[in-house]
Amino acid sequence: MKVVMVSSEALPFCKVGGLADVVYSLSKKLVINKINASIILPLYKCIKESQGFKDNARLISTLNIDMAWRKLSCDVYCYEINNVTYYLIGNEYYFSRKDIYGENDDFERFAFFSLASYKVIKEVIKKVDIVHIHDWQGAAVSLLHHHYKDRNDNIRFMLTIHNPAFQGICDRNDLWNYFNLPEYYFDNGLARLDDKVNLLKAAICLSDIVTTVSPTHRDELRRGISSYGLEKILPSKGTDFVGVLNGLDTKEFNPTTDRYIYANYNKDNVNMGKKINKENLMEELGLKDPNKPLFCIVSRLTHQKGISFIVNNIQKLLKLDLNLVILGKGEKDFENQLSFYCDSKENACCLLKYSNELAHKIYAASDFLLMPSKYEPCGIAQLIALRYGTIPIASKVGGLKDTIVSYNTLNEDVANGLLFNFDDDNFLLNVIFAIDLYSKKRIMSKIIHNAMNSSSSWTKASKEYIRLYRQMIQKNKLSN
Ligand code: GLC
């Protein structure tokens, strides 16, 4: 079986969110299960300038891409890692930018990516069984395929929704302007949602199976919770809309072998291990009192991640008996306020950057992870935290609900974290509850053990994806 993922992010090359981890880990697992897996990815500047790319990538094709009146070209490079082939779509103008997202012409950039991906699938990779699209950036591939497919073409499509807030929206005439497609895809509703062209909607309709990254988020999307209008279309998919809980790369995130942290540890010596990590990290960051619990936030600093709760409460929060470390980048307002209030405090440190190494150190050192997400399709930070014996304090939404068993006095044998309905009024109360829990050593120890016993490898999720791929192919055979 030949599976091609189309994604705007994938490790080990480029990462903004958990999407990059999913595409990387899932394709690695597919190959282990004897499936031919490849990934199509834009060749961003950061990839092109990396030594790995210079040493290992091969230029395999140069394609002409017509984007309506724009006559463009695309260099296709090939790079193999873990037996997964990465096809990197090169175009200086669109992808040699400082950041991956956030440009004024993002829509046009990913339209180009989709046109090029479709051509790579048809002309370079060939004989593909499954195209697995992740989020809106490659969603137009399904529409292009629908428009151009011939009778011998048996490609099946899967769409995975990682973030429903971004849907690839444009005007009716942009169907032609960016994709050379007729406007009747708007008129007949296939690519239309609420009077706009909506690429995710088109991919939902054209995919044999749509997934999202946890069962609870699947229900939320069907019921109109944080679904950004997709509740109008997803229920019609019935059982072809599935929630598959993401896994975690348990090799990369393993406190027993982690090369970044100050001391490795396991379930049996977790207290000692975390103590060493905490003392060292706090010293490095200039935080004074390691006897107080260390709370961390490792996150994109965005609305989705509930950073407004932190910002609205930060002054009161820092007056509590705790330490706080924040690592991440995001919306400028959040960045400015957090760094302003944490600046030169003895118990707080705000690091406005992405750093994989620091993230590992923070997970190993912290007592609690704060994750007050407004919505969270799956979430990866809580999975890492659990593995490192760091207790997640999270909102009761999406994948957080599916991976965290919230502590109460009756369930200390299974509880591995705390779940709350966050709002501005009770946010601080929840943190105070956690500080109190920290003083109860016996219960804390139980919860830490339960957390470290939580299973989150990719084995289960990859099996489920393979089952769904097979089901798609089977259905195709039956209908032929
Ligand atoms: C998005 C979601 C996050 C999920 C990740 C990977 O970033 O916001 O919840 O874990 O995709 O699926």
Side-chain angles (χ1 to χ4, degrees), residues 17-19 22 162-163 213 246 300 304-305 375-380:
L19 165 63
V22 172
H162 298 262
N163 196 336
V213 287
N246 285 341
R300 280 182 282 128
Q304 180 206 339
K305 300 292 174 181
Y375 68 95
E376 196 62 78
C378 178
I380 184 170

Side-chain angles (χ1 to χ4, degrees), residues 161-442:
I161 301 171
H162 298 262
N163 196 336
F166 301 98
Q167 302 178 0
I169 292 170
C170 63
D171 292 326
R172 183 177 186 267
N173 60 335
D174 288 330
L175 276 174
W176 177 79
N177 185 22
Y178 291 121
F179 299 105
N180 328 324
L181 288 173
E183 292 178 0
Y184 60 69
Y185 289 124
F186 175 88
D187 300 331
N188 70 14
L190 181 64
R192 186 181 75 218
L193 193 66
D194 295 339
D195 282 332
K196 285 281 188 186
V197 169
N198 186 312
L199 298 178
L200 203 66
K201 150 89 188 278
I204 289 171
C205 295
L206 294 169
S207 293
D208 302 271
I209 288 187
V210 178
T211 73
T212 189
V213 287
S214 69
T216 294
H217 193 56
R218 173 196 183 261
D219 293 345
E220 290 169 344
L221 290 181
R222 285 170 57 93
R223 285 165 46 217
I225 300 167
S226 307
S227 52
Y228 297 86
L230 298 182
E231 74 283 359
K232 293 177 199 148
I233 174 78
L234 283 167
S236 68
K237 298 299 282 187
T239 53
D240 290 337
F241 178 37
V242 187
V244 183
L245 192 65
N246 285 341
L248 180 72
D249 188 330
T250 45
K251 268 204 191 119
E252 165 77 6
F253 295 103
N254 183 354
T256 319
T257 53
D258 194 321
R259 61 193 185 285
Y260 296 123
I261 64 181
Y262 299 98
N264 290 118
Y265 61 94
N266 56 34
K267 272 175 269 180
D268 299 328
N269 59 8
V270 49
N271 289 345
M272 179 53 83
K274 285 192 82 71
K275 186 165 183 280
I276 300 172
N277 280 292
K278 184 174 175 183
E279 286 171 0
N280 279 282
L281 181 74
M282 286 186 64
E283 195 182 332
E284 188 178 318
L285 301 179
L287 301 173
K288 289 282 172 308
D289 188 352
N291 293 319
K292 293 178 185 171
L294 175 60
F295 286 68
C296 70
I297 296 164
V298 182
S299 174
R300 280 182 282 128
L301 304 177
T302 59
H303 171 81
Q304 180 206 339
K305 300 292 174 181
I307 301 302
S308 56
F309 293 122
I310 315 284
V311 168
N312 293 346
N313 290 286
I314 188 87
Q315 282 170 288
K316 290 181 191 154
L317 191 65
L318 295 182
K319 289 202 179 103
L320 298 175
D321 252 352
L322 54 69
N323 298 289
L324 176 68
V325 52
I326 301 172
L327 175 70
K329 282 201 316 191
E331 292 163 26
K332 285 289 161 250
D333 255 14
F334 289 154
E335 289 189 354
N336 291 341
Q337 296 198 55
L338 291 173
S339 62
F340 176 78
Y341 286 112
C342 293
D343 193 32
S344 57
K345 292 275 185 318
E346 286 197 347
N347 66 338
C349 176
C350 178
L351 304 154
L352 297 177
K353 56 181 165 186
Y354 291 120
S355 158
N356 189 33
E357 177 171 347
L358 259 172
H360 281 245
K361 286 182 169 164
I362 292 172
Y363 285 117
S366 301
D367 300 295
F368 296 103
L369 169 88
L370 269 177
M371 214 169 162
S373 307
K374 296 252 159 89
Y375 68 95
E376 196 62 78
C378 178
I380 184 170
Q382 88 279 13
L383 299 178
I384 305 171
L386 289 168
R387 194 148 161 82
Y388 282 72
T390 303
I391 305 306
I393 304 173
S395 332
K396 210 187 277 183
V397 294
L400 298 173
K401 216 168 147 186
D402 292 336
T403 51
I404 298 172
V405 182
S406 190
Y407 167 75
N408 61 50
T409 45
L410 300 175
N411 72 353
E412 58 178 62
D413 284 339
V414 287
N416 62 8
L418 294 167
L419 285 175
F420 297 110
N421 290 318
F422 279 106
D423 60 46
D424 274 329
D425 292 335
N426 74 15
F427 176 80
L428 279 179
L429 290 176
N430 296 327
V431 176
I432 294 168
F433 182 83
I435 297 175
D436 182 51
L437 194 65
Y438 180 75
S439 65
K440 298 178 173 144
K441 293 291 169 215
R442 190 192 63 79

Side-chain angles (χ1 to χ4, degrees), residues 20-204:
D21 300 77
V22 172
V23 172
Y24 171 76
S25 301
L26 176 58
S27 39
K28 206 163 77 172
K29 277 282 181 195
L30 293 180
V31 168
I32 292 170
N33 284 283
K34 310 228 169 341
I35 287 174
N36 177 331
S38 52
I39 300 170
I40 307 183
L41 189 70
L43 177 56
Y44 301 111
K45 192 176 179 190
C46 56
I47 307 177
K48 203 167 182 186
E49 287 175 353
S50 71
Q51 201 53 47
F53 177 82
K54 288 179 189 154
D55 293 345
N56 301 306
R58 278 183 301 123
L59 178 66
I60 53 165
S61 182
T62 297
L63 303 172
N64 293 324
I65 308 288
D66 290 349
M67 188 195 268
W69 46 272
R70 308 167 193 83
K71 305 290 169 217
L72 304 164
S73 100
C74 140
D75 288 333
V76 185
Y77 291 86
C78 181
Y79 189 150
E80 208 166 285
I81 300 176
N82 303 320
N83 298 320
V84 176
T85 310
Y86 288 70
Y87 293 93
L88 297 152
I89 304 290
N91 178 287
E92 282 292 311
Y93 174 68
Y94 287 124
F95 300 126
S96 267
R97 313 276 178 100
K98 188 169 151 274
D99 290 320
I100 294 180
Y101 309 123
E103 302 278 335
N104 287 334
D105 60 348
D106 273 1
F107 191 89
E108 181 177 330
R109 295 169 68 222
F110 291 107
F112 172 80
F113 173 61
S114 300
L115 288 163
S117 297
Y118 181 62
K119 233 180 174 174
V120 169
I121 289 164
K122 296 293 288 179
E123 294 176 17
V124 179
I125 309 178
K126 296 179 189 155
K127 297 210 169 101
V128 171
D129 297 299
I130 309 268
V131 172
H132 187 162
I133 295 170
H134 296 267
D135 279 348
W136 78 269
Q137 290 88 350
V141 175
S142 59
L143 194 55
L144 292 166
H145 173 259
H146 176 75
H147 187 70
Y148 293 111
K149 80 172 167 206
D150 52 54
R151 285 180 44 230
N152 305 324
D153 188 335
N154 279 330
I155 301 178
R156 311 310 281 170
F157 278 84
M158 178 183 275
L159 168 74
T160 296
I161 301 171
H162 298 262
N163 196 336
F166 301 98
Q167 302 178 0
I169 292 170
C170 63
D171 292 326
R172 183 177 186 267
N173 60 335
D174 288 330
L175 276 174
W176 177 79
N177 185 22
Y178 291 121
F179 299 105
N180 328 324
L181 288 173
E183 292 178 0
Y184 60 69
Y185 289 124
F186 175 88
D187 300 331
N188 70 14
L190 181 64
R192 186 181 75 218
L193 193 66
D194 295 339
D195 282 332
K196 285 281 188 186
V197 169
N198 186 312
L199 298 178
L200 203 66
K201 150 89 188 278
I204 289 171

